[in-house]
Amino acid sequence: MKKTIFEIVSLTVQTIFFLIIGFVFVEPAVSLGAQNTLLIGQTVTSEVAFSATAANITLTPSLNASTGGTADGGTQVIVATNNSLGYLMTITASSSVGMIGIASTTNSIPAYVPATPGLPDYVFTVPANTAYFGYTVEASTTADLATSFKDAAGACNSVGGGDTAESCWLNASTTAYTIVNRGSQTVASGATTTLKFRVVINANPSPIIPNDTYRATTTLTATAN
């Protein structure tokens, strides 16, 4: 009986020993420690927004068609973007005719006619007995300006050119025209673009400019590059 008990105890001890040894080899992760590596991702989308929108403009002063004159007005718009490639802004007019009369839509102040279609003129040039309506663009950061509005040596469309105030005039049309092309993100407060509009009526224009209040509607569109 004693021998049997001894054999049972001995067998039990051996069994436990081998179970322990087997557990160490079979479950090393538990006995030797464990690692779990995580990869955390977050996508930040690019966005473009108008921090400040352009205000409506009334060109001043009022003009007399018979004697002529110049009327000016301007507004600013601020665009902010986190896009590393910057943004592009275009301008589009509701009509390519120019400014349209309120009392009669057949009345108009003709759109500016540049020397080279599609490219701004350095000086707002109006032939005798003619009236024109046009615009120009300036930027808080010269590099942001579209090349067509940059100038050098009295000429527009200059790569790497400057931003001379009240230069490089063009007609607004129903075809979207790029006025700003920024190649980097802005600061949180955004980048400022100034738009200036001008009407010049030379004395006794032909066709005549009837007395009326004239308006033009333009749309600015900013998109991520």
Side-chain angles (χ1 to χ4, degrees), residues 49-52 77-82 87 140-141 144 182 185-193:
F50 286 104
S51 299
V77 62
I78 301 176
V79 176
T81 182
N82 68 337
Y87 70 95
S140 56
T141 301
D144 292 356
R182 182 184 175 96
Q185 66 187 48
T186 66
V187 295
S189 57
T192 301
T193 300

Side-chain angles (χ1 to χ4, degrees), residues 29-44:
V30 175
S31 61
L32 300 178
Q35 289 184 333
N36 187 179
T37 301
L38 298 178
L39 176 63
I40 298 94
Q42 172 64 57
T43 299
V44 177

Side-chain angles (χ1 to χ4, degrees), residues 23 27 44 51 53 75 85 129-130 135-136 139 201 204 211 219:
F23 182 78
E27 297 291 341
V44 177
S51 299
T53 55
T75 187
L85 297 178
N129 307 118
T130 305
Y135 76 96
T136 187
I201 300 178
N204 302 310
N211 64 301
T219 301

